[in-house]
Amino acid sequence: MDETRYREAIDRLIEPGERVLAQAKADVGGGLTPPPPPEPAPAAGPGRRTVGSVLLNVLLPLATWERGDRLVDLVGWGIAGRGAPGSAASRLHRAISPSGPDVQVRDTLLAVTDRRLLVCRTGGVKLLGGRDAEERALAETEVVWAVGRAEVASARVGWHRLNPKRLRLTFVDGSWLAFTVPIAESGAPLRAVAAALAA
């Protein structure tokens, strides 16, 4: 999907009189992210994890071992965000994270308008779904999180490990979340988002 088609999808979602200044297709950076917002306590919580579960996760990084996942993320990817449960970065990360087993591909779009920062998600597309499935996914694009521009304290693009294209959004509550694009793709859209937020 090209940037023009993404722009058309975003234009359908903005309010009357609102103007899009910049947009970028990006994903949350790999690594540790802020904890999710508080939720009602489950009736029966998970059992305690041991050093063994952490070790197993290091040996089998594709498996899920709860707390051990965070160790693998830290060692392999670093930190992709910080903030208390319920902070802006925490709520943003929850809004774009799949809530269950999702075998479909969804794109995350960042858009800066003259009023807000919008985070949008396209509809799901199965792998090898074809052009018609991509068109349906674009038609199903929705705003999953939005915040006034004044809530964004800073936005900057810089190096992270081997990837020079990493956008760090810092919010006024001190929390932050990073977005990246693949190394083979241009970082210009991320830089445009950062510049629009700084203007």
Side-chain angles (χ1 to χ4, degrees), residues 76-112:
W77 297 99
I79 300 172
R82 284 283 192 234
S87 64
S90 168
R91 295 189 318 271
L92 169 53
H93 187 255
R94 168 56 63 88
I96 58 180
S97 299
S99 57
D102 192 354
V103 295
Q104 297 183 328
V105 177
R106 297 177 194 277
D107 291 330
T108 300
L109 310 174
L110 305 176
V112 180

Side-chain angles (χ1 to χ4, degrees), residues 5-6 8 23-24 35 38 53 60 73 84 90 98 117 128 140-141 146 153 157 175 177 180 182:
R5 292 164 66 208
Y6 285 130
E8 291 169 357
Q23 70 178 45
S53 69
L60 302 168
D73 287 343
S90 168
L117 167 66
L128 306 176
E140 295 170 4
T141 300
V157 176
S175 65
L177 193 63
T180 62

